[in-house]
Amino acid sequence: MSLDGLPPLRDVIERHGLQAKKSLGQNFLLDLNLTGKVARAAGDLSQATVIEVGPGPGGLTRALLMNGAARVVTVERDERCLAALDEIAAHYPGRLETISGDALKTDFAAIAGSGPVKIVANLPYNIGTELLVRWLTVTEWPPFYQSMTLMFQREVAERIVARPGSDSYGRLGVLAGWRTDARIAFDVPPQAFTPPPKVTSSVVHLVPRPAPLPADVRTLGRVTEAAFGQRRKMLRQSLKGIEGVRLLEATGIDGTRRAETLSVEEFVALANAV
């Protein structure tokens, strides 16, 4: 038996035939000490509903429950994993609910229920960035969640927390910097996973800003996409398709600058000028 009185994860994987599928972007985190560290990085869970995407055999799910999460709602697309998650639900009666389905088609605000919500997940590699962008650009703000504690490949994590002037700074850094306070909590080595990915992973903790600068989410998305779509070009070139000259004049931003030199505030000003 392991720390929580449930069978070790390796046994669970073997018993249910849960070899990780590359097509689903799966890399299972089996070390319960590490999953515990991820759960603790999310702060106090005792009053919270925790939403987890891609629980797989349930390593992080178990850590969240063991660390006192009031309620955990998992969204899992891989039907092979459901029996293993049912065993965890039986061990923690009334505290775990699993939704069988595609996270990209899930209405997270609807499944959250009332009370504080935290999103904690070792996101599948192939949909992680897309999910984060959706959560960063929800219409209602402050959003339905109190915080997000998410695992990404290190390179993606660096893009999320990047500041102007750095090579990693781009659309993701602008969106995350505009609406949240984001930081890298810690790194996770490849050998912690089964199968081990080729790169180091990082856990990123994001807390929504109560009152980010006002801007239309979609317009800001369009401006950042245009600006960083040709990041080596000057802004007067890269923004050509969206009346760049007029926007630059309206905001007083020098058209010879490049996208990665602009602050979040300047991107917001461009979006508002549209």
Side-chain angles (χ1 to χ4, degrees), residues 42-67:
D44 180 11
L45 305 175
S46 61
Q47 308 297 315
T49 290
V50 179
I51 294 176
E52 183 193 2
V53 173
L60 179 55
T61 316
R62 285 163 60 166
L64 291 165
L65 291 160
M66 215 164 42
N67 278 273

Side-chain angles (χ1 to χ4, degrees), residues 56-101:
L60 179 55
T61 316
R62 285 163 60 166
L64 291 165
L65 291 160
M66 215 164 42
N67 278 273
R71 172 175 173 249
V72 177
V73 181
T74 64
V75 179
E76 179 54 74
R77 187 178 160 193
D78 186 354
E79 290 181 0
R80 301 175 307 155
C81 299
L82 300 181
L85 294 166
D86 285 345
E87 288 170 13
I88 302 170
H91 191 73
Y92 290 99
R95 289 173 61 198
L96 173 61
E97 179 190 335
T98 295
I99 293 168
S100 174

Side-chain angles (χ1 to χ4, degrees), residues 212-272:
L213 291 168
D216 177 69
V217 175
R218 283 198 189 85
T219 311
L220 184 63
R222 270 175 56 213
V223 170
T224 51
E225 219 167 303
F228 288 107
Q230 302 172 302
R231 61 184 297 142
R232 291 285 161 253
K233 291 193 172 174
M234 294 178 189
L235 288 168
R236 62 181 180 216
Q237 282 297 113
S238 58
L239 296 178
K240 230 177 189 169
I242 53 168
E243 293 185 70
V245 175
R246 183 181 69 76
L247 300 186
L248 293 164
E249 277 174 5
T251 53
I253 293 169
D254 180 356
T256 63
R257 287 171 65 188
R258 289 180 169 79
E260 70 264 25
T261 69
L262 264 63
S263 66
V264 171
E265 292 77 12
E266 287 173 313
F267 273 113
V268 168
L270 285 169
N272 288 331

Side-chain angles (χ1 to χ4, degrees), residues 125-264:
Y125 277 165
N126 51 0
I127 61 167
T129 310
E130 187 173 347
L131 278 174
L132 175 63
V133 169
R134 288 186 185 194
W135 290 327
L136 286 172
T137 56
V138 292
T139 314
E140 290 288 315
W141 203 272
F144 64 91
Y145 54 84
Q146 258 189 1
S147 68
M148 299 189 279
T149 307
L150 306 170
M151 187 151 0
F152 296 95
Q153 292 172 323
R154 174 83 200 181
E155 177 212 347
V156 177
E158 285 173 348
R159 280 169 37 210
I160 295 165
V161 302
R163 297 283 175 263
S166 77
D167 287 345
S168 305
Y169 185 60
R171 180 168 169 249
L172 211 47
V174 174
L175 289 176
W178 169 50
R179 274 191 155 177
T180 69
D181 185 24
R183 62 179 175 84
I184 293 178
F186 57 90
D187 291 340
V188 181
Q191 56 273 26
F193 296 89
T194 301
K198 292 186 172 67
V199 293
T200 295
S201 299
S202 300
V203 172
V204 182
H205 186 65
L206 303 100
V207 178
R209 295 183 192 279
L213 291 168
D216 177 69
V217 175
R218 283 198 189 85
T219 311
L220 184 63
R222 270 175 56 213
V223 170
T224 51
E225 219 167 303
F228 288 107
Q230 302 172 302
R231 61 184 297 142
R232 291 285 161 253
K233 291 193 172 174
M234 294 178 189
L235 288 168
R236 62 181 180 216
Q237 282 297 113
S238 58
L239 296 178
K240 230 177 189 169
I242 53 168
E243 293 185 70
V245 175
R246 183 181 69 76
L247 300 186
L248 293 164
E249 277 174 5
T251 53
I253 293 169
D254 180 356
T256 63
R257 287 171 65 188
R258 289 180 169 79
E260 70 264 25
T261 69
L262 264 63
S263 66
V264 171

Side-chain angles (χ1 to χ4, degrees), residues 105-123:
K105 294 176 182 163
T106 302
D107 181 348
F108 287 96
I111 63 172
S114 57
V117 173
K118 297 189 175 195
I119 303 174
V120 186
N122 168 21
L123 292 173

Side-chain angles (χ1 to χ4, degrees), residues 10 13 18-23 25-30 57 80 122 125 189-199 201:
R10 288 191 189 281
I13 286 171
L18 295 181
Q19 278 60 43
K21 279 188 179 176
K22 202 172 181 182
S23 62
Q26 290 173 330
N27 293 88
F28 299 146
L29 198 53
L30 301 191
R80 301 175 307 155
N122 168 21
Y125 277 165
Q191 56 273 26
F193 296 89
T194 301
K198 292 186 172 67
V199 293
S201 299

